[in-house]
Amino acid sequence: MKQAELIATKLQLVDVDITVDEVAELITDRAEEFSIDTEMATPLIEKELIAKYDLDLNVYENTTATEVPYAYIEDLDSPDEFVQVVAIVDDLWEEYDDRIQQVGTLADSTDRIKFTVWNVADQPLLEKGTVYHIWNAVVKEHNGKLELKITAKSDIEQLTGENYDVSEYVGTDHESTPFSGVVTRIEPGSGLVERCSVDDCTRVLKNGHCSEHGNVEGEDDLRIKAIVDNGSEYRRVTMTTEVVETLLGYRLQDALSHPDIDVDEEIHQCLVGQYADCMLVEYEHNNYVSSIELNADPDGHGIIELYDYADELRYIL
Amino acid sequence: MTTNSSTQTANDGGFNYHTAIPVLDYEINKVSEIFKENPESKYSPKIAVLPTGICTSRIHYVGYVGQKRLSETEDGDTKVHIRCTEANSTVNIFSNSRFSSVTERLADVKQCSYISVVAKLFLTESQEGDTLVGVTPEVVNEVEQPVRERFLFTASEESLDRITSLSEGIETEDQKLAADHYGTDQLDQYANAVQTAINAGIKLRKRRVKAANAE
C-alpha cells in the first residue's frame, strides 16, 4: 500500500518507531471499522498518528520533501516532476520581469540548470556561490529547455561549508581535473561572438552564417579559447560566458552596451603569459574551464624543498 | 630526428603546437646550438638544444625590463630591443618584423615592469663580435611581480628535473644531442644557477609580502 509506505517513511523521519506494515494494518482496520475504502481511511490514520505522537505539524509536513526523488541535475528530464536537489547558485542574472524575484543557474557536480523564483513563491533571496538543499522544486520546460522552478511549496535550506565541500558543486562534472600552466595563446573565435539562435544549436556564427542552419539571427555571447601550457603538456581550453565574465569583471551586457570596451585587448592583458590554475571538464573532446585562478601564490614549503634539493644536487654533481 | 621527446606536441586544429619550456636566464644564454627540424622546408621550426638535455622550438620566460631601445629598420619598421636584467646576466629580447602586433606591444612595454614571453631562440652576434642568444617573442604581455616569482620557481623546478635526469644517464635523443654539444661536466653550474634563481624568487616574494603587510 503506497500511502502506508509514505506515511511510515514520513513518521520514521521524525523519529517515530513505526513500520509500513503497522501503518497499513491501522488503515485497513479503520476502513473496515467505518466501511470506507482505504483511500479515505488514510488521512484519518495520518491525523491520528500525528496526534498520538504529539508531532509538530510543520515539521511533519516538511518531511513531505523526502517523498520527491533526490536528483542530479543531469538526470532531470521529466517536465512537471517535483524533485529535490543539492546545488550551488552558480550565477544570478538580471531579472527583466517584475514578477520574478530571482533567476539564474544552479549547478551540481553533474550539470547546470536555469532556475526561477517568482515573487509569489515568497522565498528568501538566494546568494551566488552558496550551496542549498532545495526540496519540492518543479522541473518545467520552456522553449524546449528544462528549468527548475522554485515555488511556494519548495523548501530551501542553506548548507554551510562545514557540512559540504562547496567546491564540489562549482564544477560541472565529477570528472573535472586540475590543470595548471601558462596561457600561451588566445585562439581565434575568442571574445564577443554570435551564436546560432536556432533551438539547441549554439554554433558560433561566421559572418552571420551557421554551418548547420545557414544565415540566421545571432545571439551575443562571450567566450575564450586558449592554450594552457605547463612545459610538458598543454590543453586547448574553452571558457564559457560565466567564467569569462568573472575574469573580466563585467557582464556580457555591459560589454555590449559599452562599445568603447576593447574586449579582445582586455582578454589579452588578463590572460596571456599568466599562470592559470584551472579545473577542466572534458565534454565532447573539448576542455571546458569550470574554474580558474590566476597567478596563485606558490607554496612556501615547496620552495624551501626546491632550494635544498638544488643545494644537494650542486654538491653531488 | 626525434626532438621534444619528453614534451607534448600535436597536430590538431590544423597546426602544430609545441609546448613552451620554461628556461632560466643562465641556460638561455648558454645555448649555442639551434638547428632546423627539416632543413629543406622553409617553414620548418628552428629547434634550440638546451644544455640541460631538451630540444625545443619554444620557450617561456618572465623577466624584468631593465632597458628598452627603439630603433628603425632600413624599411622604416620599428625595431625593439629589450634587455631583461638578471642578477648575473642579461636576457636579450628582440622584436621580429614578421610579428607586427608583438612589436607594437614590445614598443609599449614600460621600463621597470615585468614581461612574460613565449618565444623562439636565435643566435646572433653582439657588437663586440661575440655570439649572442636572442629571444624573439611570439606573444608578450606586461605582468605583475608574482608572475615573475612563480616563473623563477617553476623554471627552477623544471630545470632541476632536467639536470637530474641528464646526470643519471643519457636516455633520450634530446639528451644525446645536448651531451654531444655541451658535455655534461658543467651541470653543477646549472644547479648553481637554479639556486640563484630560487633565491631571487624568495627575496622578491619576501619583499612583496612585507610591503603588503605594511599597508
Side-chain angles (χ1 to χ4, degrees):
Chain A
M1 198 191 294
K2 206 180 170 197
Q3 278 88 355
E5 206 176 316
L6 280 180
I7 294 170
T9 311
K10 283 156 73 178
L11 289 168
Q12 286 160 6
L13 279 161
V14 287
D15 296 323
V16 173
D17 187 12
I18 197 164
T19 66
V20 179
D21 287 345
E22 285 167 339
V23 176
E25 202 181 326
L26 285 170
I27 293 172
T28 318
D29 286 350
R30 190 66 81 249
E32 276 176 17
E33 192 184 337
F34 293 118
S35 299
I36 53 175
D37 60 36
T38 52
E39 216 176 302
M40 285 176 76
T42 305
L44 296 175
I45 292 299
E46 195 171 14
K47 274 185 190 163
E48 281 178 29
L49 289 169
I50 291 166
K52 182 180 171 188
Y53 292 106
D54 196 23
L55 301 175
D56 181 337
L57 200 62
N58 277 335
V59 174
Y60 178 79
E61 284 303 331
N62 274 337
T63 63
T64 54
T66 57
E67 290 165 28
V68 302
Y70 177 82
Y72 283 111
I73 291 174
E74 71 171 1
D75 295 332
L76 300 179
D77 57 3
S78 320
D80 297 326
E81 185 188 19
F82 280 84
V83 292
Q84 54 167 320
V85 294
V86 174
I88 191 167
V89 177
D90 183 48
D91 202 4
L92 288 172
W93 306 339
E94 211 172 303
E95 59 275 4
Y96 296 101
D97 189 327
D98 288 345
R99 294 168 301 167
I100 293 176
Q101 176 175 297
Q102 273 181 310
V103 58
T105 49
L106 285 169
D108 68 9
S109 50
T110 64
D111 207 350
R112 285 189 167 82
I113 192 168
K114 180 186 170 186
F115 78 93
T116 312
V117 191
W118 294 81
N119 283 336
V120 289
D122 194 25
Q123 293 285 1
L125 283 174
L126 303 185
E127 283 174 33
K128 190 175 169 179
T130 302
V131 178
Y132 295 93
H133 191 163
I134 302 166
W135 288 274
N136 281 332
V138 60
V139 182
K140 287 283 173 193
E141 194 173 338
H142 185 62
N143 287 340
K145 285 186 180 166
L146 292 179
E147 56 182 71
L148 215 51
K149 193 173 157 189
I150 295 171
T151 70
K153 281 187 183 167
S154 310
D155 279 303
I156 302 173
E157 183 193 345
Q158 181 181 328
L159 300 176
T160 64
E162 289 162 15
N163 304 331
Y164 276 84
D165 179 12
V166 173
S167 63
E168 194 185 322
Y169 296 93
V170 177
T172 56
D173 199 312
H174 278 304
E175 310 261 318
S176 71
T177 48
F179 190 80
S180 296
V182 178
V183 179
T184 54
R185 183 179 292 182
I186 303 294
E187 303 212 274
S190 297
L192 282 170
V193 293
E194 277 193 317
R195 291 187 184 277
C196 177
S197 54
V198 174
D199 279 351
D200 290 336
C201 178
T202 53
R203 286 179 179 81
V204 169
L205 305 181
K206 279 186 186 159
N207 300 322
H209 189 88
C210 169
S211 58
E212 179 78 16
H213 300 101
N215 285 339
V216 289
E217 204 157 304
E219 283 176 0
D220 294 303
D221 196 11
L222 258 180
R223 75 154 178 196
I224 296 174
K225 296 182 82 152
I227 288 179
V228 182
D229 179 344
N230 70 12
S232 341
E233 292 175 76
Y234 73 91
R235 298 281 184 278
R236 195 161 254 136
V237 306
T238 303
M239 299 173 211
T240 52
T241 328
E242 295 84 14
V243 176
V244 182
E245 286 179 337
T246 309
L247 275 176
L248 297 180
Y250 52 78
R251 315 294 292 265
L252 166 65
Q253 292 304 329
D254 301 329
L256 291 169
S257 56
H258 293 90
D260 51 317
I261 296 180
D262 186 345
V263 176
D264 292 345
E265 179 57 26
E266 293 199 9
I267 289 173
H268 182 101
Q269 286 182 12
C270 175
L271 283 175
V272 171
Q274 317 274 6
Y275 285 95
D277 299 314
C278 308
M279 289 305 290
L280 299 178
V281 178
E282 203 181 331
Y283 180 68
E284 291 181 349
H285 307 296
N286 284 317
N287 286 301
Y288 288 95
V289 175
S290 60
S291 68
I292 181 169
E293 187 181 1
L294 294 176
N295 305 323
D297 221 5
D299 159 33
H301 294 291
I303 297 163
I304 301 298
E305 275 171 26
L306 203 62
Y307 185 84
D308 290 344
Y309 180 63
D311 208 28
E312 213 175 289
L313 199 60
R314 215 159 50 101
Y315 288 104
I316 294 171
L317 293 168
Chain B
M1 184 181 293
T2 315
T3 55
N4 258 334
S5 51
S6 59
T7 59
Q8 183 191 5
T9 62
N11 188 347
D12 56 344
F15 69 92
N16 271 304
Y17 181 83
H18 295 252
T19 52
I21 312 284
V23 192
L24 294 169
D25 60 294
Y26 182 81
E27 187 166 12
I28 289 175
N29 286 320
K30 289 286 180 189
V31 169
S32 58
E33 172 71 354
I34 294 174
F35 63 90
K36 245 186 167 184
E37 196 167 35
N38 176 3
E40 284 159 27
S41 164
K42 191 179 168 190
Y43 302 105
S44 171
K46 283 183 182 161
I47 310 287
V49 182
L50 300 184
T52 53
I54 204 158
C55 297
T56 184
S57 66
R58 182 175 279 137
I59 65 150
H60 175 230
Y61 171 77
V62 183
Y64 178 76
V65 179
Q67 272 181 340
K68 183 178 79 174
R69 204 175 66 210
L70 300 182
S71 54
E72 235 177 54
T73 63
E74 286 168 5
D75 303 332
D77 293 334
T78 304
K79 225 166 78 173
V80 189
H81 176 195
I82 286 173
R83 288 162 62 91
C84 283
T85 43
E86 302 281 340
N88 300 313
S89 61
T90 298
V91 170
N92 289 286
I93 296 179
F94 297 94
S95 62
N96 182 325
S97 56
R98 271 174 54 215
F99 306 119
S100 57
S101 65
V102 180
T103 304
E104 278 173 35
R105 284 190 192 280
L106 284 171
D108 288 343
V109 157
K110 286 189 280 299
Q111 204 138 326
C112 305
S113 66
Y114 292 95
I115 53 170
S116 179
V117 298
V118 176
K120 307 269 187 203
L121 297 182
F122 70 101
L123 299 176
T124 182
E125 261 189 16
S126 71
Q127 282 168 343
E128 294 77 34
D130 301 326
T131 302
L132 190 75
V133 184
V135 175
T136 314
E138 296 173 316
V139 293
V140 59
N141 198 13
E142 231 177 274
V143 294
E144 299 293 323
Q145 185 186 304
V147 182
R148 162 78 173 156
E149 293 167 28
R150 187 149 162 187
F151 166 78
L152 287 170
F153 301 134
T154 308
S156 293
E157 197 172 7
E158 295 285 320
S159 305
L160 283 180
D161 283 347
R162 297 197 296 267
I163 296 165
T164 307
S165 176
L166 187 56
S167 71
E168 286 168 355
I170 294 162
E171 285 187 359
T172 68
E173 195 72 28
D174 287 10
Q175 287 175 329
K176 187 176 179 314
L177 280 170
D180 286 351
H181 190 79
Y182 305 101
T184 54
D185 54 342
Q186 288 186 338
L187 286 178
D188 61 326
Q189 298 297 315
Y190 291 94
N192 204 19
V194 167
Q195 226 178 2
T196 307
I198 298 171
N199 247 334
I202 292 173
K203 269 187 199 160
L204 278 175
R205 190 161 179 254
K206 265 190 190 159
R207 222 182 298 152
R208 176 169 58 84
V209 172
K210 203 175 163 188
N213 288 341
E215 271 179 17

